[in-house]
Amino acid sequence: MQHTHEILEKIKTYQTIILHRHMNPDPDAIGSQVGLKEIIRTNFPDKKVLATGFNEPTLAWMASMDSVSDEEYENALVIVCDTANTPRIDDKRYANGGFLIKIDHHPNDDAYGDFLWVDTSSSSTSELITLFALENNLEISPEAARLLYAGIVGDTGRFLYPSTTTRTFEMAARLRKLDFDFAGLSRQMDSMSFKIAKLQSYVYDNLEIDVNGASRVVLTQDLLKEYQINDAETATIVAAPGRIEDVTLWAIFVEQADGHYRVRMRSKNLVINEIAKRHGGGGHPLASGANSYSLEENDQIYREMQEVAKNK
Ligand code: AMP
């Protein structure tokens, strides 16, 4: 309660509020960022509220970003949503405002900001933004509800992951009461393009699974070109190996244009973010990301995952 109250007091103090979130955004990043923007705009119509960052084409159905000038940062309140560490903040001007707030649910390894609200027990940052609105009796518009609901669904795998709590359902229920196109949104989030469906088939066909359920697949640049898939679109298939009952933890190694690998790691219940941290990454205990710079490092990361699976 105290955190949300203090954030509201800061919002009241500033005339311009600029909202940031992480690079390579997912539905929770955009849902929390633009959901908060909508809430502030609805309740404080005289304030200038802007959302900045790259317009991710695969999430164009959620929202588009504003264009923000350098001058607008002068004496602005900057709020960064859903971003664990400063290198991952989209738009480096986040430090140019008058006051900086971090709102997040990732482990707080990089405690940046003048004021922080970090709750690792929360399923998503969108859940926190919903709580912020409710605790302060702020009005939530149908559009804000749509964005925040999408964020919660995105980060919980539609209420599948262990991070889903009673509070998650309570927040989702409060959002569901508002008049947005729930069926359309649910369908949108469950849909994939035909080319992604084909890539998913490739993943299932080529998945390596060891006796303890440690699993991996590599998506090379050649393969991504053949399937006409860009890096961002691989997000849609990251959860796919988890549907196999034998799989306990898994990594999808996505080769980048410069030859290094973005490693997308997931786990059903064994902690994997320590492995990610050893390889230039981090994230949640059960959903992390790392970077690998050679085939040897790919093998090393997989061996470390196999160790975790073996010692369960
Ligand atoms: P992804 O597979 O990219 O969806 O990432 C899963 C989780 O790991 C997200 O919560 C990210 O915040 C985190 N993550 C991914 N890449 C990195 C990185 N390079 N450094 C720190 N955290 C990361």
Side-chain angles (χ1 to χ4, degrees):
M1 181 79 201
Q2 204 193 336
H3 280 106
T4 63
H5 188 68
E6 287 186 34
I7 291 169
L8 181 65
E9 288 308 309
K10 278 290 166 201
I11 290 171
K12 284 182 184 165
T13 313
Y14 284 82
Q15 179 53 26
T16 302
I17 298 138
I18 305 175
L19 303 164
H20 289 238
R21 40 82 186 153
H22 63 77
M23 298 186 260
N24 300 321
D26 52 21
D28 188 36
I30 294 185
S32 57
Q33 177 197 29
V34 188
L36 179 57
K37 172 183 146 175
E38 290 295 324
I39 288 168
I40 300 172
R41 271 166 45 140
T42 302
N43 293 276
F44 303 96
D46 296 335
K47 291 191 189 291
K48 190 192 276 184
V49 199
L50 302 161
T52 185
F54 173 72
N55 269 311
E56 170 52 50
T58 58
L59 295 175
W61 55 271
M62 288 193 78
S64 53
M65 298 292 115
D66 301 303
S67 89
V68 185
S69 70
D70 291 348
E71 292 69 47
E72 277 162 324
Y73 279 88
E74 273 164 35
N75 204 27
L77 172 64
V78 176
I79 305 179
V80 182
C81 294
D82 198 41
T83 312
N85 48 5
T86 53
R88 293 200 85 226
I89 301 175
D90 193 342
D91 197 336
K92 295 305 167 210
R93 297 177 297 171
Y94 71 87
N96 297 354
F99 195 86
L100 179 64
I101 296 179
K102 174 188 191 184
I103 304 180
D104 192 24
H105 73 129
H106 297 92
N108 196 15
D109 293 331
D110 179 359
Y112 65 84
D114 301 308
F115 184 84
L116 292 80
W117 180 27
V118 177
D119 180 354
T120 54
S121 73
S122 186
S123 71
S124 53
T125 305
S126 296
E127 179 179 324
L128 293 177
I129 301 299
T130 311
L131 187 66
F132 161 78
L134 294 176
E135 284 191 348
N136 287 303
N137 293 316
L138 297 175
E139 185 184 340
I140 302 177
S141 66
E143 177 58 5
R146 183 184 77 89
L147 291 160
L148 294 168
Y149 189 87
I152 294 174
V153 166
D155 255 32
T156 60
R158 191 171 300 136
F159 311 109
L160 173 68
Y161 307 141
S163 57
T164 307
T165 64
T166 50
R167 190 181 76 183
T168 314
F169 284 116
E170 280 160 14
M171 295 302 113
R174 294 291 290 266
L175 297 171
R176 176 70 180 91
K177 279 188 187 157
L178 292 148
D179 185 24
F180 65 94
D181 178 9
F182 175 77
L185 177 70
S186 300
R187 180 60 69 194
Q188 169 77 49
M189 295 195 78
D190 192 45
S191 299
M192 59 176 117
S193 60
F194 195 25
K195 64 182 185 176
I196 292 284
K198 287 177 179 164
L199 182 71
Q200 186 162 303
S201 298
Y202 177 90
V203 167
Y204 285 135
D205 273 347
N206 291 277
L207 205 60
E208 179 183 338
I209 309 174
D210 83 357
V211 285
N212 299 304
S215 176
R216 68 170 164 181
V217 68
V218 180
L219 305 180
T220 63
Q221 277 284 303
D222 283 348
L223 186 92
L224 295 177
K225 282 193 192 110
E226 185 189 330
Y227 284 77
Q228 297 179 337
I229 303 275
N230 64 36
D231 181 62
E233 289 172 302
T234 62
T236 327
I237 50 91
V238 177
R243 301 198 66 198
I244 299 169
E245 51 192 23
D246 296 336
V247 170
T248 52
L249 45 82
W250 65 100
I252 300 185
F253 295 83
V254 187
E255 191 185 4
Q256 306 293 301
D258 68 0
H260 97 278
Y261 293 84
R262 171 181 183 183
V263 191
R264 314 193 75 161
M265 302 163 66
R266 299 291 188 271
S267 170
K268 285 180 183 165
N269 46 45
L270 301 166
V271 173
I272 48 163
N273 58 348
E274 293 303 325
I275 304 174
K277 280 188 211 168
R278 287 197 287 274
H279 296 275
H284 304 278
L286 306 183
S288 329
N291 290 292
S292 159
Y293 295 91
S294 63
L295 293 174
E296 291 71 35
E297 191 172 3
N298 285 357
D299 288 341
Q300 176 62 28
I301 291 171
Y302 184 53
R303 271 197 300 277
E304 291 177 32
M305 295 176 73
Q306 288 182 294
E307 278 304 307
V308 170
K310 195 163 125 193
N311 297 327
K312 67 175 176 265

